[in-house]
Amino acid sequence: RLERAKANDQAVKDLGVEHAVEMVRQLQAAGVRGVHLTTLNLENSVQRVLETLGMGTRRAQGAGPVAAGSEPAGSGLSVAARAALPAAAAAANAGAEKRVWDDFPNGRWGDARSPAFGNADAYGAMLKFDTQGASRVWGRPRRLEDVSALFARYVCGEIASLPWSDEPLMAESARIRDELARLNRLGYWTLASQPALDGVASADPTHGWGPRGGYVYQKAFVECFVPGHVFPAFLTRLQSAARATYYAANRRGDFMTNAQHGEGTVLTWGVFPGRAVVQPTLIDKMSFLAWRAEAFQTWREWAAMFAPDSDEARFLQTTADECWLVNVVDNDYKAADAIWDMFE
C-alpha cells in the first residue's frame, strides 16, 4: 500500500495515521495501558491518531480561531480582558497558520519559523568519502575550470554526488538539466534548483504533491556559488531584473538582498479541494544565512581531504574565501524559461 501511495503526500500521511491507530489498538488489546507518541515537531498526524482513538479533544463542529472582536455572551469580561481579545485572536490565528506550515515539510526550504524547519536534507556537515574516495570521484581541483567541470558532470548524471550533495539530481530537475549544465560550465556552480510550474496536477508523478484533485505551482529558482570575479557583473544583472528576488552572501558574512525586510519569498504552493492554499516551501534571510554557514563549511571539509600545503587545499580555501552563495528566484512562474536570461 505504501508503494502505491508513495507519490501522494497526503495518502502517505493518511496511511501512517491508519497504521499507528491499528498498532495502538493492538497494544491496548494486549493489555498495554499507555503509549508514547513522538511528534518530531509535526503534531497534526499525532492529533489525528489521538482523535481517532478517542483520546484527544476534538474541536467543536465549526469551531476555529478566535474571531477578532468576538466576546462570549454574558461573559462579564473586564475592561482589561476586553482589551486582550484582539491579541488573543491574533495568537489563535497565528497558531492555526502554523499548523499549515508543517503539513508537507520540506527541510531547509520550509518556513524558518516552523519547529520542523531544517530536517536533514541540507548540505552535508560531513563528507561521505575518505580522501582516496573523494579524489577518485571528485578529482583533484586546482582551477576554477575543474570545479565547473565537476558540477557539470554531476548535473549530467556522470557522477552521483558532490561534496554538497550525496544524492543524484532530483527527478523534477531533469527538465532543466541542459540549462543547469550550461550554467555550471559558465562558472555558476548550482546547489539547488527547481523549474517553474503553472497549475500542474497534484497527482503528477514527478512534480505533484499533496492531496489528489489539486494543482501545484512553483517559481523557478537557482541557488549557486558564483566566483568572486564574476559576482559584480552578475549582481548588476540581478538588480536590474524587476521580476527577480535574490539573496547573496559570502564566507566573511557580507549579505545583500532585494527582498522586503522580514518578508520571505514563497517558492511552492498548492491549491486543493476544501483546503486553504498550502505554501510548504519558501526562502527568507534567516534560512538562507543558516544554510550559507553549512555551504561554506563544506569547502573547508573538502580542502581538509588534501595535505594542508597542497595545491588542491590552497585552491579550495581561496575559492571559498572569494566566491558568493547566491539564490535567485524568478517570481514570474508563467515564464518558465525566463530565469536563464539572468545568467550569462
Side-chain angles (χ1 to χ4, degrees):
R1 294 177 62 191
L2 183 59
E3 179 66 23
R4 294 195 302 270
K6 66 180 182 181
N8 183 339
D9 292 347
Q10 187 62 51
V12 171
K13 289 165 70 72
D14 293 343
L15 188 58
V17 169
E18 178 185 336
H19 186 58
V21 168
E22 181 60 28
M23 284 195 300
V24 173
R25 284 176 173 161
Q26 290 180 14
L27 289 170
Q28 290 174 326
V32 175
R33 301 186 61 182
V35 296
H36 183 93
L37 301 176
T38 303
T39 67
L40 299 178
N41 287 327
L42 302 173
E43 80 282 2
N44 290 353
S45 293
V46 171
Q47 182 173 356
R48 289 177 57 195
V49 171
L50 295 176
E51 290 177 349
T52 303
L53 292 167
M55 297 179 178
T57 301
R58 187 183 298 274
R59 287 190 296 265
Q61 183 68 29
V66 178
S70 64
E71 175 184 332
S75 61
L77 293 177
S78 66
V79 173
R82 293 173 191 270
L85 275 173
N93 282 313
E97 178 183 303
K98 288 177 183 178
R99 291 176 59 81
V100 177
W101 292 344
D102 297 335
D103 277 354
F104 304 100
N106 281 267
R108 68 151 294 196
W109 302 107
D111 194 312
R113 298 168 296 174
S114 165
F117 173 72
N119 291 340
D121 67 340
Y123 311 127
M126 296 181 62
L127 303 188
K128 306 303 189 294
F129 288 114
D130 58 18
T131 299
Q132 290 184 342
S135 297
R136 184 174 62 254
V137 177
W138 303 327
R140 305 182 68 91
R142 298 172 182 170
R143 305 175 304 151
L144 296 178
E145 291 79 6
D146 295 336
V147 180
S148 297
L150 175 67
F151 275 80
R153 290 180 61 210
Y154 169 74
V155 167
C156 292
E158 297 174 16
I159 56 175
S161 68
L162 287 172
W164 292 267
S165 176
D166 59 359
E167 296 181 351
L169 197 68
M170 297 290 289
E172 77 161 355
S173 293
R175 64 188 289 180
I176 56 175
R177 187 187 303 272
D178 291 345
E179 289 294 347
L180 292 176
R182 182 181 70 87
L183 262 57
N184 282 289
R185 294 187 183 106
L186 287 173
Y188 301 94
W189 306 323
T190 60
L191 298 171
S193 61
Q194 73 178 23
L197 299 178
D198 184 11
V200 172
S202 60
D204 185 270
T206 300
H207 302 291
W209 54 271
R212 290 296 190 264
Y215 294 91
V216 298
Y217 302 79
Q218 61 188 38
K219 300 174 185 177
F221 84 85
V222 173
E223 186 167 272
C224 58
F225 286 118
V226 181
H229 72 282
V230 176
F231 179 72
F234 184 45
L235 178 62
T236 298
R237 289 197 299 276
L238 294 180
Q239 291 172 333
S240 63
R243 68 179 186 275
T245 300
Y246 66 85
Y247 301 80
N250 60 17
R251 184 171 174 174
R252 295 185 299 274
D254 300 320
F255 172 76
M256 56 187 69
T257 182
N258 64 346
Q260 295 296 317
H261 178 70
E263 293 292 329
T265 301
V266 173
L267 301 174
T268 304
W269 64 100
V271 180
F272 308 101
R275 300 190 60 164
V277 174
V278 180
Q279 300 175 357
T281 60
L282 57 80
I283 185 171
D284 60 13
K285 178 180 178 180
M286 184 187 305
S287 61
F288 179 77
L289 290 181
W291 299 115
R292 172 205 67 88
E294 292 201 15
F296 281 102
Q297 176 61 25
T298 302
W299 284 104
R300 285 183 177 273
E301 294 173 3
W302 192 11
M305 290 185 162
F306 302 96
D309 59 348
S310 66
D311 291 341
E312 293 85 354
R314 285 194 293 266
F315 165 75
L316 291 172
Q317 292 281 12
T318 299
T319 301
D321 289 338
E322 295 178 352
C323 72
W324 286 72
L325 178 66
V326 183
N327 185 293
V328 182
V329 181
D330 188 339
N331 292 292
D332 187 357
Y333 63 91
K334 290 183 174 293
D337 298 322
I339 191 171
W340 311 119
D341 296 338
M342 303 181 204
F343 298 85
E344 296 180 1

